[in-house]
Amino acid sequence: MKAGAGMPVVPQSRGWSELWKKEDYWAIWMGLGIVLVALIFFYAGSSIKSIAVAPPTWVNFSEVSRHFAATWTWYIGLYILFIAIFTISSAVMGFKAREFIPGFTILFIISIIILVVGSWKTAIDLNLEPPLLALLLGMIVSNAFKLPRWLDTTFRTEFYVKTGIVLLGATLPFTLIIQAGPVAFLQATIVAVVTFLTIFFAATRLFGLDRRFGATLAAGGSICGVSACIALGGAVKAKKEHVSIGISLVVIWAIIMIFVLPLAARAMGMPPGIAGAWIGTSEFADAAGFAAAAAIGDEAAIRSFTLMKVVGRDIWIGLWSLIMAIIACTIWERNAAGQGERVNAMEVWWRFPKFVIGFFLASLIMTFVAMQFSPAEFKKVLTPEVIGPIKTLRSWTFVFTFLSIGFTTRFRELTAFGWKPLAAFTLGVAVNVPLGYILSVLVFGHYWANI
């Protein structure tokens, strides 16, 4: 029986087979595998940056033509790498390879087009980042045309984003996290807790939505957007459609904030560092936030955004997932089952999003490596040879993610939930944005201005 709203989760027999039958574990194996291969190449005096290829920023299309003329074999190699690891893992998990291969081939080709357009200087100036272009294209196609059902085997949103999150961990060694200092963590904690509670209580108390649904919405609005919706939704056993609604609301508000926050920051004359911190506090998605911070036009804005959003807020995903898994198991489901029944304590572990462990392992591995270099060497040597290529591969997985979200989002289905989820999420926005301003400008403004 599938768990639903107000329904206790029936414990299922689990075992070692989960290590090769679950998306979370495959995301760990593939993400850590890429990180380890990158390090092996690095210590052997080479790099994986040749196969971690992506279109460069361009003004004239002739630049794109020259790029592909010189690197087309590496794109083929990258395609073979992706299709091999995703097809093998999907087949082991029970998906049909004969459906996945043609579907992924289409997805990869569209992703190349998206990355080319997103690398166009005009698109960059308009803040049209590749993930956002992927989302918009996917939504337009899915709502204008009826796509064949067999493509659903390829549109594996959670699989791609989980793999990308593990790769994200490798780009955030704990040395960088420590550099964020107590200010970033304190501000992120205040924002995360207040915004989460606002959305959760608005959803459950004001609008009567299911607690799992409310937790999923709250996570998307307070922690790290799409990734948080997926992680928290899995931790509390939210319905798939609840996660989809949460992702859609995150994306809608993230797109709005891309334009609103930079304009507001410039209108109020904010220094770049403060503007980046406010964006990092108030944006809902990393890709959209990077676009908004880049629109400020100063490296300080990007640095403060990264410390605030990517380090300060995104790092909460694991802790929130664990906390909510415990609450769901020990309180919500026990109450639903009756006070006389106990929920199996191991249920907390079974439903904890394992890919988050991959995130921390990747970060620990890169931290150990980074300790062998001075800060200058880290930036000059390790970043271009190891972290840069991993970031590029992560960008590909995020484009796959946002294309899959777009291709599986039907506006007609979203309207079935009415206005209540939107109202609850919007109340969170109404608290989050001014709170972020107060903390970034009035409370910690001196710190962010000198970042």
Side-chain angles (χ1 to χ4, degrees):
M1 179 173 62
K2 185 178 179 181
M7 198 177 295
V9 175
V10 179
Q12 300 174 355
S13 59
R14 288 126 166 169
W16 290 105
S17 63
E18 287 214 342
L19 294 175
W20 60 86
K21 288 185 177 180
K22 296 293 184 181
E23 283 183 349
D24 282 44
Y25 285 110
W26 272 108
I28 294 175
W29 310 144
M30 293 191 299
L32 292 183
I34 290 173
V35 172
L36 292 176
V37 169
L39 290 173
I40 290 171
F41 271 71
F42 174 71
Y43 283 111
S46 184
S47 173
I48 65 167
K49 62 184 180 183
S50 294
I51 200 170
V53 65
T57 301
W58 59 276
V59 177
N60 299 314
F61 193 75
S62 58
E63 300 172 66
V64 179
S65 301
R66 289 194 296 271
H67 169 75
F68 280 100
T71 61
W72 65 271
T73 54
W74 290 114
Y75 279 92
I76 293 176
L78 181 62
Y79 165 76
I80 293 173
L81 170 66
F82 275 137
I83 204 165
I85 61 178
F86 283 125
T87 301
I88 292 172
S89 56
S90 296
V92 172
M93 287 186 286
F95 294 88
K96 298 177 180 178
R98 65 176 181 271
E99 293 180 352
F100 184 85
I101 292 174
F104 185 81
T105 302
I106 295 171
L107 194 70
F108 186 83
I109 293 172
I110 296 175
S111 297
I112 292 178
I113 297 172
I114 290 292
L115 287 166
V116 168
V117 175
S119 300
W120 183 27
K121 183 64 166 57
T122 301
I124 294 173
D125 292 340
L126 294 173
N127 300 319
L128 295 175
E129 293 287 312
L132 297 178
L133 288 172
L135 178 71
L136 293 173
L137 175 64
M139 284 184 168
I140 291 171
V141 172
S142 67
N143 287 278
F145 306 97
K146 185 176 182 180
L147 300 177
R149 293 298 299 272
W150 59 267
L151 283 173
D152 289 344
T153 303
T154 301
F155 300 149
R156 307 274 301 287
T157 300
E158 295 188 20
F159 196 18
Y160 301 133
V161 77
K162 289 172 182 177
T163 305
I165 290 173
V166 175
L167 294 176
L168 174 65
T171 66
L172 294 174
F174 282 131
T175 50
L176 175 61
I177 295 173
I178 292 171
Q179 289 173 13
V183 171
F185 278 108
L186 177 59
Q187 183 167 329
T189 301
I190 294 171
V191 169
V193 172
V194 173
T195 307
F196 186 97
L197 294 177
T198 298
I199 297 176
F200 180 77
F201 284 111
T204 57
R205 299 290 178 85
L206 292 181
F207 304 118
L209 299 177
D210 176 72
R211 288 175 295 192
R212 296 170 179 80
F213 194 5
T216 303
L217 292 174
S222 62
I223 309 173
C224 56
V226 172
S227 304
C229 285
I230 293 172
L232 265 290
V236 301
K237 292 295 182 183
K239 292 182 178 180
K240 183 178 180 180
E241 52 267 34
H242 290 170
V243 176
S244 297
I245 292 291
I247 290 173
S248 300
L249 291 174
V250 164
V251 169
I252 290 170
W253 274 109
I255 293 173
I256 293 173
M257 291 300 175
I258 284 178
F259 301 100
V260 171
L261 293 176
L263 288 174
R266 281 195 289 265
M268 289 184 283
M270 288 187 190
I274 292 178
W278 186 38
I279 292 170
T281 304
S282 304
E283 254 293 4
F284 303 100
D286 287 344
F290 275 117
I296 299 298
D298 191 292
E299 186 66 26
I302 296 176
R303 285 199 301 271
S304 60
F305 165 80
T306 301
L307 292 176
M308 189 62 250
K309 176 68 170 71
V310 180
V311 177
R313 288 174 66 193
D314 289 7
I315 204 74
W316 277 92
I317 186 173
L319 180 59
W320 275 108
S321 297
L322 178 61
I323 291 171
M324 295 310 299
I326 293 172
I327 291 174
C329 283
T330 60
I331 300 177
W332 296 351
E333 288 159 21
R334 186 179 178 187
N335 290 341
Q339 292 296 332
E341 301 183 31
R342 298 183 64 86
V343 177
N344 184 356
M346 282 300 294
E347 187 69 27
V348 175
W349 165 251
W350 293 124
R351 71 173 57 185
F352 178 75
K354 310 301 188 303
F355 70 92
V356 175
I357 298 175
F359 171 93
F360 285 115
L361 287 176
S363 182
L364 284 171
I365 291 171
M366 202 56 67
T367 299
F368 176 77
V369 174
M371 290 171 61
Q372 304 173 39
F373 297 86
S374 67
E377 290 174 329
F378 177 88
K379 186 175 182 179
K380 185 178 179 179
V381 179
L382 199 65
T383 295
E385 299 297 324
V386 179
I387 293 180
I390 292 175
K391 281 185 177 180
T392 300
L393 295 177
R394 184 198 70 194
S395 297
W396 278 93
T397 63
F398 284 167
V399 172
F400 298 156
T401 298
F402 279 82
L403 273 174
S404 298
I405 292 172
F407 284 136
T408 54
T409 298
R410 310 289 191 274
F411 293 131
R412 292 187 300 275
E413 296 175 5
L414 298 182
T415 57
F417 287 87
W419 57 271
K420 292 181 179 180
L422 174 61
F425 199 94
T426 302
L427 281 175
V429 175
V431 170
N432 177 285
V433 174
L435 177 61
Y437 175 85
I438 292 170
L439 294 173
S440 301
V441 178
L442 304 180
V443 180
F444 302 122
H446 178 74
Y447 173 86
W448 294 116
N450 294 287
I451 198 69

